[in-house]
Amino acid sequence: MKDSLLWYKNPADDWNKALPVGNGRIGAMVFSQPIDERIQLNEDSIWSGGYRERNNKNAYENLERVRTLLFEEKIEEAESIVNDLFCGTPVNQRHYMPLGDMTVKHYKESIADFHSRLLDLETAISTTEYTLSNVRYKRECFVSYPDQVFAMNITADKSGSVSVRIGIDGRDDYFDDNSPVSDSEIRYYGGSGGEGGINFCAFIKVLTKGGSLCRYGSFLQTEGCDEVTILLGVQTSFRAEDYSEQAQFDVNEAASLTYEQLRERHIADYKALYDRAQITLDDESDLSDLPTDERLARIKEGKQDNKLTQLYHSFGRYLYIAGSREGSLPLNLQGIWNKDMWPAWGCKYTININTEMNYWAAESCGLSELHTPLFELIERMRPNGRVTAREMYNCSGFVCHHNTDIWGDTAPQDLWMPATQWPMGAAWLCLHIMEHYRFTQDREFLAAKYDTIKEAAQFFVDFLIEDKQGRLVTCPSVSPENTYITESGTKGSLCIGPSMDSQIITCLFSDVLKAQEILDTDHAFGEKLKEILKKLPQPEIGKYGQIKEWAIDYDEAEPGHRHVSQLFALYPAALISKRRTPELAGAAAATLKRRLTHGGGHTGWSRAWMINFYARLFDGDEVYNNIQALLAHSTAENMFDMHPPFQIDGNFGGTAGITEALLQSENDEIVILPALPRQWASGSFEGLKARGGFTVSCEWENGKAKTVTVISNCGGVCRLVSGDNITVTCHGEQVTCEYADGCAVFDTSAGRKYTVTYQ
């Protein structure tokens, strides 16, 4: 289907135009250069070094001093101490690194006629077509999850025409070594060096039909072949002691299959995930014959292209499957696609929003098992976080600040006051545990993870202190990456009780209490949490009619700041609700207007967050406007989100926002088309997920739902926001509905489909 293609008339001359393929662990960027192709490669566990213990041993002895200074509003002095005595030692965590570049060169040719390149989201295969010396060539690339290899297949419309030279390099001689080990194989070693560092081995095997194959210096060379298939496998010491042998084993096992078999196995595995859900946005204009970059250019001109929004949503689901699978690491700032030895922000896990944003759409788009790598990272963080909690704050439980890395490092990262001293990272990540349960109703999973969320909560039982009003608050902390101005004109970031902290803790404690109720366990600890919850600050309205960002109603040094942390309560949480707390929802809208009026949403991920906010406010017009802005100003030609530079969180945040406009399910009720833009007058969605264990599909016309189907995966009560103008049937039999609080309420049985018809 053309609606599922990213396609272009020219090869990529820049990384941000190349097309990504991956299997969750191995990633590749395909440039589609016809004569001298470059495939930029990654493997998710190639990081810059081993684990190191970085907790600052001077932190706890200065904690009360810092708190006292903050209460006395001696902000500069408090920040000076924190900058020196609470930072990590050393200040930086490990960072993500590339694997290298594989090159495939037509060494006999110098002039090419390029036809097209594309990424088919239905098959997860990138295809390039071009002509050299009157011979038409076709290259296909994909990365197989079942067979754990990157595969490239080169064919021509004339026999005996495929003569290419294959090599691998590209890491600036960084402890790397590459050389052919036979006439058909190359072994490529590399690593980070140092004690405990991660080493890797990539293994390449070239398979040919017809012609000849031999080593040629550092390359392998084919001559006069009918067809060439290149297989690459890679393993690291992070996962396997015998990583070199394992990489070779992966390739040899794949080589025992034909290319057609590898391709079929790859597609079947991929489609089992990708085909679970889809959205269709009708549009009067069919622009699928235009290249993707030209369609993006039209958006910059203010034109409408609903099918491009549909493609963006499909691309987000594609990136989930290609970027992180079961058994791999979770999605970092760039997923698995990173070209730089020293990438922006280390290409780590930034957990003051970006990592969490990566998973906002995983459950609602039916990709629940792809959430599991994040839970595995949390478990790696736990033992480190216990040490950080004890040594830095003399608290029980576990804590992490605003970044972590492959090793689950929990000490503060870098030396930047607006972000570094923020003890909420583990708490926010742990909210994903209960989200996974809400969508799946997996009681066994919740039981296995209860101690994790309890430990995250235990830290705050010890860490919270009373402010001057007797409320329990965090201190010291920051409102992520923002700076305030006091009445005296002093600027600061370090503070007492920023609003986002209280909101996250409210959600965390509530999750623990809910888990205790479901599992019937640990009620004594629950009573302690209930007493603390009574003293936690709740969202408040400030002097501009906005939701206050800090406990004191400070002005922002940057009113158009990219973070809107005080609206965590609106999204991803649901403490502020258009239906349940209309006054606070109005203040949330005022907050957004103030941010955007002053230039907010200027980074890709921030604009994506705006879409979700407006979806929760049931404002379809602003959902549409912010999607248009995301596509026009923060989307590269290859559809990657641009901070800039590239950050994958905006892709996932945008995907989540589009989904939220079509289906919401917070506060134990399902809302159909809650923020449908007027421009999406007709369309459908299939297979989206709602909390409570429901799979929902919908067809709508003229802006109104026509038919909705709800599959109950686990049984239980379904609460559908609706008037009394619906009929519910199950396999032809009418279902009794009760109407309460604006909802149609009906009982469901596991495995049954319920059809909702609107009169």
Side-chain angles (χ1 to χ4, degrees), residues 225-297:
C225 297
D226 300 330
E227 180 179 343
V228 171
T229 299
I230 304 165
L231 303 177
L232 177 143
V234 56
Q235 293 286 347
T236 77
S237 59
F238 179 76
R239 291 192 175 92
E241 185 176 348
D242 58 345
Y243 58 93
S244 176
E245 290 79 4
Q246 185 62 50
Q248 185 171 354
F249 175 83
D250 292 344
V251 170
N252 286 336
E253 287 293 294
S256 69
L257 303 170
T258 65
Y259 173 73
E260 289 72 21
Q261 289 172 323
L262 284 171
R263 190 179 188 276
E264 289 172 4
R265 285 160 58 88
H266 158 72
I267 292 173
D269 168 79
Y270 170 77
K271 287 180 74 66
L273 294 169
Y274 181 80
D275 288 350
R276 289 178 182 174
Q278 67 173 12
I279 70 167
T280 301
L281 303 178
D282 294 345
D283 201 329
E284 294 179 359
S285 301
D286 181 6
L287 301 173
S288 57
D289 287 334
L290 283 181
T292 304
D293 51 345
E294 293 183 22
R295 294 173 71 179
L296 283 166

Side-chain angles (χ1 to χ4, degrees), residues 730-752:
C730 181
H731 301 279
E733 297 184 4
Q734 188 160 338
V735 175
T736 301
C737 288
E738 296 180 358
Y739 293 90
D741 192 25
C743 293
V745 184
F746 55 95
D747 291 325
T748 70
S749 299
R752 306 278 282 177

Side-chain angles (χ1 to χ4, degrees), residues 557-570:
E558 185 184 344
H561 199 267
R562 59 195 173 277
H563 282 259
V564 197
S565 301
Q566 65 271 42
L567 293 194
F568 174 91
L570 176 65

Side-chain angles (χ1 to χ4, degrees), residues 573-595:
L575 302 174
I576 297 175
S577 164
K578 181 75 170 177
R579 275 176 43 81
R580 294 171 181 257
T581 61
E583 185 179 6
L584 290 175
T591 307
L592 294 173
K593 183 177 181 180
R594 179 172 165 80
R595 275 286 200 268

Side-chain angles (χ1 to χ4, degrees), residues 411-442:
Q413 156 66 24
D414 62 41
L415 286 173
W416 191 43
M417 190 52 60
T420 299
Q421 188 54 43
W422 188 70
M424 305 303 301
W428 191 351
L429 287 177
C430 282
L431 299 183
H432 283 250
I433 290 171
M434 199 65 185
E435 274 292 88
H436 183 72
Y437 171 79
R438 290 188 183 99
F439 278 92
T440 65
Q441 302 292 292
D442 187 342

